Amino acid sequence: MSKAPGLASTSDALVLALLVVGLSGWQGAAAEQACQGATSSLPSARFHDNGDGTVTDVESKLMWMVCSSGQQRQGQRCVGAADLLGWTEAQRHADRTNRDGAAFFNDWRLPALRELATITDRGCRDPLSPRTNLAVFPGTPAAPYWSATARPGENAGERVLALSFGAEGVMLARKDERFHVRLVRTGP
């Protein structure tokens, strides 16, 4: 692996690559979450499992896909690697999901940044553990997810905001970067 500009060593580049790509192959359960002892800001009781691969946040009334795009639900787990998509691909994925009707509704979309932030567990501070409730959103990589939000004052045609469930937090990203996707819709 060649050294990326601005990194001190090849091992720094490897660590950066792992953080960017995330732990997409990790299939851990909530009991394996490294930050489980922290005070959770995202209790499981806040979510109603709809029994169809979605959960509804009873506070925000948003309905979320349990698994990241590319993963499949098996029992209480999400298996397989979460897709890494460019922003335009992510929008097309939402359109396909709506057109195919496989997810029962036809109004799935990328979440706004504020919506995505509602499923971030601020009590989890371990940089290698996904900052969300893994009992509700199992298999979530500790990596960036696309939002539909452009940064105020930015040219929305080129860059949008992403939110990492890892250590990075909010990021301004080019639309050609490849991040994960979790679709949302406004619930009943």
Side-chain angles (χ1 to χ4, degrees), residues 35-42 121-124:
C35 58
Q36 68 185 14
T39 303
S40 177
S41 65
L42 195 64
D121 192 336
R122 294 176 305 282
C124 181

Side-chain angles (χ1 to χ4, degrees), residues 36-131:
Q36 68 185 14
T39 303
S40 177
S41 65
L42 195 64
S44 297
R46 192 173 118 188
F47 295 89
H48 172 75
D49 187 338
N50 300 313
D52 58 3
T54 67
V55 292
T56 299
D57 182 334
V58 297
E59 288 182 14
S60 70
K61 306 296 185 231
L62 293 172
M63 182 183 287
W64 293 92
M65 294 280 191
V66 169
C67 297
S68 301
S69 297
Q71 295 178 317
Q72 312 306 318
R73 184 96 186 254
Q74 278 186 358
Q76 297 303 309
R77 296 172 27 141
C78 293
V79 298
D83 289 338
L84 287 167
L85 304 173
W87 190 81
T88 303
E89 292 172 288
Q91 293 285 11
R92 283 196 295 261
H93 169 68
D95 291 343
R96 263 191 318 277
T97 300
N98 291 329
R99 189 175 50 252
D100 295 347
F104 306 108
F105 298 95
N106 63 1
D107 57 350
W108 293 102
R109 57 185 170 75
L110 290 181
L113 182 67
R114 287 181 188 262
E115 293 170 333
L116 197 53
T118 67
I119 62 169
T120 302
D121 192 336
R122 294 176 305 282
C124 181
R125 303 226 186 273
D126 184 319
L128 298 179
S129 187
R131 293 177 0 176

Side-chain angles (χ1 to χ4, degrees), residues 158-180:
E158 296 177 21
R159 301 192 304 176
V160 295
L161 295 171
L163 179 68
S164 177
F165 286 100
E168 299 89 351
V170 176
M171 307 164 55
L172 182 60
R174 293 183 328 273
K175 288 183 175 181
D176 63 347
E177 293 184 67
R178 301 178 67 74
F179 295 145
H180 298 291

